[in-house]
Amino acid sequence: GTATTNTAVGHSVHVVASIGEPGTFSFAAGGFTSPTGRTAPIDPAATEFRIAAGSCQNYETGRYAVHRDIAEWRPDLVVWLGDFIYEGAARELGGDVIRQHEGPEPIDLAGYRRRYATYLSDPQLQASRAAAPWLATWDDHEVENDYAGVVSQNDGEDPADFAARRAMAYRVWWENMPTRLEAPSPTGLDESFVIYRGVDVGELVRISALDGRQYRDPVLSREILQTGPPLPGWDDPNRTMLGAEQEAWIAERFTSSTATWNCLAQQTILSDTRIGEVGAILNYDQWDGYHPARERLLAKAPDNLITVTGDIHLAGIAELGPIGAPVGIEFITTATASTPNIDPSLEPFVRSIPSIVDGELLLRGYTRHVVTPGAWTAEYRQVVDIADADSPVQTWKTFRVESGTPAVAEAV
């Protein structure tokens, strides 16, 4: 078929192919033909479904051996959990910086378009995008680090100015994502761009992708690893991570599900990682900083709940819900290429948090999930040398959840 595009949409093309079986595709324009991609419709009778979950791929601090490994595995679906780009200005080479962004921090359409072009120039990322359908959501770096709603991380910035920047970033995200979503409003200043959505794989698994940035209340503190009592407002029932409409949407998805497995694909750690007698909140950007909203979400938890999470640049396995009485399991995938957020020497401390089953804080990678009626298996893949595009990718550990019980164990 033929499609028409123009500068208003960054010369992007979004094609929905109505096919009844797996197939291949390519694009041709201006005398150039793209490599061949692979796609497939959802099989409603599937008894096995394979998902690659990834996030956080700072171009400057890592090569994309992860994406080569994803392309070689050829999953049924790639679930991207946010931070497809990083918005920081180009830094000098050296230390963790092994290659450079193309210029200054983007704040407009042209800047964000250049940044996506830099990332999508990587041949291994191209191969991963061509290997399987993608279900992508965003986190903060698609716009700006740690933003919340229309509140910038830069204290004092006019919310109206930031909303204009956010609208341009959202538009360029849409231009560059393989998504069925309609284009956002040309201005986008007075309305939301709804990206939360779901995929049902027959009766096997219901996947719900959340948006934990656009509708959230401002974070109470950006300081991490605080060990004192929680700040005032942490238990305010009016605070929200998802916004009222998205909360209602996911509650309906939960209560109406007849699938064997129910999967949340979302950004920040959902499990309760508060510590000590005072319930210290180590990171207010996570769901711990929006505890009443988490309580509302998990109160509707269906059977066989699995959450796949990104953001924090570590590999982790955790129990969801009350300590000792979990309602589900969280698989936290580490960063594809971004540097550790938490000093790896703190790994014993992280593992001591009651909800945490296991964790690894140093290496980069992604997670392979294999879903069957009887079990959900998560295989944590790790890049041996993040500076080497041809690095081996190895398995750290594999974990298994049996259907019918919110318990996880390392597979042997």
Side-chain angles (χ1 to χ4, degrees), residues 43-179:
D43 178 2
T47 56
E48 179 182 279
F49 197 72
R50 305 193 307 165
I51 301 167
S55 69
C56 305
Q57 56 178 8
N58 192 327
Y59 180 88
E60 291 196 325
T61 58
R63 300 287 179 176
Y64 290 163
V66 157
H67 285 295
R68 186 200 72 236
D69 201 57
I70 289 173
E72 291 170 355
W73 191 46
R74 294 181 57 153
D76 297 302
L77 183 68
V78 176
V79 173
W80 190 259
L81 301 167
D83 295 344
F84 189 90
I85 63 164
Y86 277 66
E87 82 287 6
R91 295 179 288 169
E92 291 186 3
L93 292 172
D96 290 330
V97 180
I98 63 172
R99 55 182 176 173
Q100 292 175 296
H101 285 147
E102 75 298 325
E105 180 171 337
I107 58 172
D108 56 17
L109 286 174
Y112 282 109
R113 284 169 176 164
R114 285 192 294 269
R115 185 55 50 90
Y116 276 93
T118 295
Y119 279 63
L120 287 167
S121 69
D122 186 282
Q124 292 171 319
L125 176 54
Q126 293 175 11
S128 175
R129 295 249 296 200
W134 277 49
L135 175 64
T137 188
W138 57 41
D139 195 11
D140 52 346
H141 287 288
E142 284 85 356
V143 181
E144 177 197 72
N145 181 53
D146 284 351
Y147 83 93
V150 293
V151 177
S152 168
Q153 71 166 344
N154 301 314
D155 294 336
E157 182 168 349
D158 186 343
D161 291 341
F162 184 74
R165 175 184 177 177
R166 190 186 78 165
M168 289 184 281
Y170 283 2
R171 184 164 189 85
V172 180
W173 177 89
W174 172 83
E175 291 173 0
N176 287 276
M177 286 300 108
T179 177

Side-chain angles (χ1 to χ4, degrees), residues 91 95 219-220 370 385 406:
R91 295 179 288 169
V219 70
L220 293 175
V370 178
D385 181 359

Side-chain angles (χ1 to χ4, degrees), residues 103-376:
E105 180 171 337
I107 58 172
D108 56 17
L109 286 174
Y112 282 109
R113 284 169 176 164
R114 285 192 294 269
R115 185 55 50 90
Y116 276 93
T118 295
Y119 279 63
L120 287 167
S121 69
D122 186 282
Q124 292 171 319
L125 176 54
Q126 293 175 11
S128 175
R129 295 249 296 200
W134 277 49
L135 175 64
T137 188
W138 57 41
D139 195 11
D140 52 346
H141 287 288
E142 284 85 356
V143 181
E144 177 197 72
N145 181 53
D146 284 351
Y147 83 93
V150 293
V151 177
S152 168
Q153 71 166 344
N154 301 314
D155 294 336
E157 182 168 349
D158 186 343
D161 291 341
F162 184 74
R165 175 184 177 177
R166 190 186 78 165
M168 289 184 281
Y170 283 2
R171 184 164 189 85
V172 180
W173 177 89
W174 172 83
E175 291 173 0
N176 287 276
M177 286 300 108
T179 177
R180 294 169 177 260
L181 293 168
E182 296 294 327
S185 153
T187 63
L189 298 180
D190 299 319
E191 58 187 83
S192 68
F193 177 31
V194 176
I195 70 159
Y196 55 85
R197 61 209 189 278
V199 173
D200 289 347
V201 183
E203 292 295 304
L204 180 61
V205 57
R206 165 166 281 192
I207 305 170
S208 302
L210 301 183
D211 174 0
R213 284 289 161 190
Q214 185 172 185
Y215 311 104
R216 67 157 66 190
D217 285 310
V219 70
L220 293 175
S221 174
R222 294 192 181 95
E223 184 180 346
I224 65 170
L225 301 181
Q226 300 181 53
T227 56
L231 296 175
W234 76 274
D235 57 351
D236 181 352
N238 294 314
R239 284 173 51 75
T240 183
M241 173 78 82
L242 303 178
E245 291 185 7
Q246 189 175 187
E247 284 192 19
W249 174 82
I250 190 58
E252 192 281 329
R253 293 274 296 174
F254 278 173
T255 56
S256 66
S257 178
T258 59
T260 299
W261 296 96
N262 293 275
C263 175
L264 282 180
Q266 55 97 51
Q267 298 79 15
T268 55
I269 291 179
L270 179 60
S271 51
D272 191 338
T273 59
R274 295 174 295 165
I275 63 168
E277 294 183 1
V278 298
I281 294 176
L282 302 174
N283 187 340
Y284 283 87
D285 189 60
Q286 298 175 175
W287 282 87
D288 282 347
Y290 299 81
H291 179 65
R294 173 172 59 197
E295 295 276 276
R296 293 193 296 271
L297 175 67
L298 294 181
K300 303 288 187 180
D303 293 338
N304 287 346
L305 175 62
I306 300 290
T307 296
V308 292
T309 296
D311 175 66
I312 198 62
H313 306 184
L314 61 81
I317 301 88
E319 295 179 340
L320 293 170
I323 303 301
V327 298
I329 298 299
E330 181 167 34
F331 290 118
I332 305 158
T333 191
T334 191
T336 296
S338 305
T339 54
N341 270 342
I342 300 174
D343 188 333
S345 69
L346 293 176
E347 188 173 299
F349 166 73
V350 170
R351 287 178 171 175
S352 75
I353 296 171
S355 64
I356 301 296
V357 175
D358 205 345
E360 199 281 336
L361 277 60
L362 178 62
L363 295 181
R364 311 303 88 201
Y366 75 106
T367 310
R368 293 176 173 178
H369 299 273
V370 178
V371 188
T372 69
W376 186 297

Side-chain angles (χ1 to χ4, degrees), residues 1 13-27 37-42 133 179-180:
V13 174
H14 293 75
V15 177
V16 177
S18 298
I19 57 175
E21 58 186 21
T24 59
F25 65 91
S26 62
F27 292 90
R38 167 182 172 269
T39 191
I42 294 291
T179 177
R180 294 169 177 260

